[in-house]
Amino acid sequence: MMAVRLGASHADDWEPVAAALEQFTPEAEALRPGLHAFGARGPSRYFGGERALAELVAKAVAGAMPSASRAGVGVADGLFAAGLAAKAASASTDVLVVPPQQSQPFLVDLPLISLHDPVSPLHGDEDGAEALLDVLWRLGIRTLGDLAALSEADVLGRFGWTGLLAHRLACGLDDRPLQTEAAGEDAGAEAEIDPPADRIETVAFMARALADTMMARLDRDGLDCMSVNIEAHSDSGHASHRRWRHEFRFNAPAVVDRVRWQLEGWYRSPERPAGPITLIRIKPCAVAPANGRQLGMWGARSEADERAAKALARVQGLLGAEAVTVPHLAGGRRPADTGRRVPLHAAGDADRGQDSSATGPRNGKKKKKTKTKVVDAPWAGRLPAPSPAVVPPQPEPVVVTDCEGALVTVGGRGEASAPPQRFTDSAGRSQAVTAWAGPWPLDERWWRPSARRRQARFQLVLNDGSAHLCVLESGRWWREATYD
Amino acid sequence: MEEALAPLLPEGSIRRGTAVAVSGHGAMTLAVALTAEASRRGSWVAAIGMADLGVAALAERGVDLERWALIDLPGATRSRSLMADAEGAVVDGFDLVMLGSAARVGGATARRLLARMREHGASLVCAIGGASTDIVAGLQPEVRLMITQTRWTGIDNGHGRLLARQAEVTIGGRGAASRPRRMPVWLPSEDGRVACAELARTSASTLDLGLQDLRERRAG
């Protein structure tokens, strides 16, 4: 298996890379934008060995990327080891070939959290993968080598199917060979889009119905799907054809995500389609018997959850995926930092991104714990509750003056030049300040001159009873939030 | 429905298929508090056109953030019918919908929305802030909560900080709420609760009585 991995900052420009891989194999699969894999055995024979092939691929990928970015190419027996080898390679040499049967020695020193990497089937939280990693961590298992050293029977007995999978991965035994057989072929679905759609959201909305159909057919046959072909045709006769692999198994929303990624990549690429999209086709291409992992009869999603999810999908179709966000608490000192809005389709990854620096693995419970930890960490200088209920996306420029009409400033000792007396908003409406508190200085990121921010914050209560959080920065006043 | 706010509404809770309009300074805090209990009990809440909702304040009201969705309506670029479709879709899928002042609904749109709300048993909480309640007249709000007077405590001239807010809410509306009433409300109180003022004061003793009652019944 060969894996190609782009740096996170360049993952959006993955389409040329996928195209470059096509000169080596017709069966390259994308796991997500910027993470691609294909079976290396055949091509490596033709191109003169795995290392020669890996170097050719690295060169082709570097040529396909317009910007100077790092891409790693890794070769190993299974996808898991190959993906981690590519990750290691992108940090140093660009190419890392793990010889046959040597996956386990390669994996031995990698941290346990590697089981949470996007190439791992335990990437999501299905079947309690996160709980498993959390327990293993608390049992003192720190590396994949520690896990591999346990007896397989003990792991299976204690942790069940998920534990066994983790153990096999740690041992370098990847359960998922590349499948190209035609099983599940008839489960595919396609739809003509009439009138042709020129917005990705419209296509994604139709793809949802196709994905539901496909998953229902696979369910009927008792199959899980790990890999799908997605084809999109445009009015102008262009077509985009990609194969996507899921690190675990697809469900309908995951298929729709891939459709979205593929179209976004297509529209960004030099071969972008000239006209609107007329046809979308989804076909499973690697299936396996569903091994009895069914949703619980209770404790799964409620009917209300399903209804809400459907409504949100519909709204995303109308207004665009970015229009729907979920609130998310984060660490920080300013109101705009402590509460964030995360796009719905990225919500599952929100914690992940935030905790990337955390050393331990997490699970559902732990996730909350970690979140609370970050949020409740002593952010010195954060204003205590109550928090402002209205936080505009952009602060509003305002003017705060003293009794003589001069702008209120804050001196080097952190004292206001004079009590604030009048407040004038950006529309020119002026009001008397009836009560005020502050200034509270805030000096963030003083260690990096370019990102440094020095502010003095005030709470101002105005004549009409409204209260505002105003900040003074570089001699200018802003209304950052309102205690509405 | 938060018990501490039950006296604000004629039936003690927001009736399904109806709208509640909240206006004045502090409307956002009160509107969020009205929805908090429902989200904790597993209802999904969608906030439409509230791009400026403070997430930290949301959490302080005890909202279950995992059951909240925020839907932005980036104004001018969107056609009205698209917005109306989106609002309709949300009402179909959510038990409780918050509408910010950015989401204008009037005339035929409001009538259609109201019909869908009744059909699906969804309730609407409109936080319209300083705007006139006329902008939601089309939704025929059953209850109008007007925050008429507010007073912040804990802050002085250069001392202290915002600690608590006392507000007077004028309750009006249709049907059972048509006779206007006034009620003092903490928005929030010093311990961070949004509650009707008398209830906040007596809640501790009520609890004691309840426990005593329970003990007596057990003994009996």
Side-chain angles (χ1 to χ4, degrees):
Chain A
M1 217 52 196
M2 177 173 293
V4 178
R5 205 168 178 143
L6 308 184
S9 52
H10 301 284
D12 284 347
D13 298 314
W14 59 277
E15 177 67 30
V17 174
L21 294 180
E22 279 180 346
Q23 53 183 302
F24 299 101
T25 171
E27 299 198 321
E29 296 179 314
L31 275 97
R32 53 188 56 229
L35 181 52
H36 306 262
F38 59 89
R41 193 175 299 157
S44 71
R45 255 181 246 144
Y46 182 79
F47 286 99
E50 283 174 342
R51 174 158 291 277
L53 173 64
E55 276 162 7
L56 282 171
V57 168
K59 201 179 282 175
V61 168
M65 299 285 295
S67 48
S69 74
R70 297 202 69 97
V73 178
V75 181
D77 290 347
L79 175 63
F80 178 63
L84 292 177
K87 189 179 191 178
S90 66
S92 56
T93 56
D94 293 350
V95 171
L96 179 60
V97 177
V98 180
Q101 312 296 328
Q102 296 299 305
S103 288
Q104 188 178 4
F106 165 72
L107 294 170
V108 151
D109 290 327
L110 293 180
L112 184 70
I113 191 76
S114 306
L115 285 171
H116 208 274
D117 191 90
V119 293
S120 162
L122 298 174
H123 173 56
D125 191 23
E126 287 181 79
D127 294 328
E130 297 203 336
L132 170 74
L133 293 188
D134 188 42
V135 171
L136 289 175
W137 179 265
R138 280 192 268 131
L139 289 174
I141 290 170
R142 294 289 184 267
T143 63
L144 296 181
D146 293 344
L147 177 57
L150 302 176
S151 123
E152 184 170 348
D154 288 349
V155 173
L156 176 61
R158 173 65 183 79
F159 298 111
W161 185 88
T162 317
L164 181 65
L165 178 60
H167 186 261
R168 288 184 66 83
L169 289 171
C171 292
L173 302 169
D174 213 327
D175 272 342
R176 298 155 303 145
L178 194 70
Q179 292 200 3
T180 46
E181 69 210 45
E185 195 90 301
D186 61 337
E190 65 174 67
E192 298 216 9
I193 303 176
D194 191 27
D198 49 6
R199 294 177 60 239
I200 291 178
E201 289 318 319
T202 320
V203 184
F205 186 64
M206 302 209 54
R208 176 65 204 239
L210 292 185
D212 282 335
T213 314
M214 182 182 88
M215 296 320 296
R217 289 180 186 162
L218 288 171
D219 273 354
R220 179 199 63 196
D221 296 342
L223 293 171
D224 269 349
C225 173
M226 275 86 64
S227 181
V228 293
N229 277 318
I230 297 174
E231 239 179 289
H233 292 260
S234 84
D235 197 13
S236 56
H238 292 77
S240 159
H241 184 181
R242 290 272 166 261
R243 179 180 294 184
W244 292 90
R245 186 181 188 80
H246 195 276
E247 61 273 7
F248 191 41
R249 63 182 157 163
F250 274 109
N251 55 15
V255 174
V256 178
D257 276 347
R258 270 59 179 185
V259 171
R260 200 175 271 138
W261 292 344
Q262 178 165 338
L263 293 176
E264 278 166 3
W266 195 18
Y267 276 107
R268 277 164 160 272
S269 74
E271 291 96 48
R272 74 178 68 87
I277 310 284
T278 54
L279 180 111
I280 180 102
R281 182 179 291 146
I282 303 174
K283 216 161 69 180
C285 63
V287 297
N291 48 2
R293 284 168 285 130
Q294 292 186 343
L295 281 181
M297 271 164 66
W298 55 88
R301 290 158 65 89
S302 72
E303 190 210 354
D305 294 353
E306 291 288 349
R307 260 178 62 215
K310 268 192 196 134
L312 289 180
R314 170 101 181 102
V315 172
Q316 282 186 312
L318 289 167
L319 301 178
E322 307 301 320
V324 180
T325 53
V326 290
H328 182 75
L329 281 182
R333 299 182 178 85
R334 295 175 306 131
D337 292 339
T338 52
R340 295 232 177 90
R341 290 152 169 261
V342 185
L344 181 68
H345 53 87
D349 294 330
D351 302 315
R352 211 162 282 153
Q354 187 184 342
D355 299 338
S356 55
S357 58
T359 46
R362 312 174 313 279
N363 65 18
K365 256 185 307 172
K366 179 77 174 267
K367 202 189 277 176
K368 280 217 180 84
K369 249 187 277 163
T370 332
K371 201 189 312 182
T372 330
K373 204 167 70 195
V374 175
V375 173
D376 292 346
W379 288 96
R382 178 161 76 174
L383 296 184
S387 298
V390 169
V391 183
Q394 298 297 329
E396 175 194 349
V398 295
V399 176
V400 177
T401 52
D402 60 18
C403 55
E404 287 166 3
L407 200 69
V408 176
T409 57
V410 171
R413 311 190 106 179
E415 283 170 0
S417 61
Q421 287 274 303
R422 279 208 91 70
F423 171 94
T424 310
D425 67 12
S426 58
R429 283 184 298 259
S430 181
Q431 281 192 62
V433 174
T434 56
W436 61 282
W440 297 292
L442 185 60
D443 194 351
E444 285 191 304
R445 292 186 281 270
W446 43 266
W447 55 89
R448 213 166 68 213
S450 61
R452 183 176 185 185
R453 301 195 69 171
R454 292 187 68 187
Q455 296 181 328
R457 293 163 299 167
F458 287 82
Q459 286 175 334
L460 303 181
V461 180
L462 304 184
N463 201 20
D464 64 358
S466 63
H468 308 270
L469 175 62
C470 295
V471 303
L472 177 63
E473 186 174 1
S474 314
R476 299 179 67 179
W477 280 89
W478 303 88
R479 170 156 66 185
E480 206 164 63
T482 298
Y483 294 87
D484 191 60
Chain B
M1 182 62 208
E2 186 103 34
E3 202 177 306
L5 290 175
L8 287 180
L9 301 168
E11 297 185 8
S13 64
I14 308 174
R15 211 152 62 82
R16 278 181 172 267
T18 67
V20 173
V22 188
S23 61
H25 292 300
M28 194 71 103
T29 302
L30 184 55
V32 169
L34 288 172
T35 66
E37 179 71 14
S39 91
R40 275 203 299 271
R41 289 214 185 128
S43 286
W44 279 79
V45 183
I48 308 181
M50 303 179 106
D52 53 1
L53 186 60
V55 174
L58 208 55
E60 279 167 17
R61 297 284 79 76
V63 157
D64 181 356
L65 292 184
E66 307 207 329
R67 290 181 184 280
W68 261 73
L70 304 160
I71 293 150
D72 291 342
L73 298 173
T77 57
R78 305 294 186 193
S79 78
R80 267 180 172 254
S81 68
L82 202 59
M83 277 168 60
D85 283 349
E87 284 154 8
V90 173
V91 165
D92 288 353
F94 286 76
D95 305 325
L96 205 47
V97 179
M98 271 184 87
L99 218 51
S101 48
R104 297 279 154 98
V105 281
T109 317
R111 277 197 298 280
R112 273 205 303 276
L113 198 61
L114 207 56
R116 285 172 97 154
M117 280 163 54
R118 284 183 187 137
E119 188 187 334
H120 292 278
S123 320
L124 207 57
V125 176
C126 308
I128 50 182
S132 151
T133 48
D134 293 346
I135 68 166
V136 292
L139 292 169
Q140 307 169 13
E142 197 167 65
V143 183
R144 290 167 197 258
L145 303 176
M146 282 158 285
I147 302 169
T148 40
Q149 281 184 349
T150 58
R151 199 172 68 82
W152 280 96
T153 61
I155 189 168
D156 201 350
N157 279 322
H159 307 289
R161 63 177 177 87
L162 295 177
L163 204 60
R165 173 167 52 181
Q166 285 173 305
E168 191 172 78
V169 178
T170 307
I171 306 158
R174 301 143 54 85
S178 57
R179 195 168 52 85
R181 291 180 298 145
R182 288 178 179 203
M183 188 156 289
V185 175
W186 284 105
L187 273 180
S189 65
E190 278 182 39
D191 53 3
R193 275 156 43 90
V194 172
C196 291
E198 292 99 14
L199 249 140
R201 216 180 309 128
T202 55
S203 60
S205 51
T206 326
L207 190 68
D208 283 344
L209 281 175
L211 282 174
Q212 204 177 346
D213 186 41
L214 198 68
R215 271 185 227 115
E216 277 166 12
R217 254 192 278 167
R218 277 214 185 125

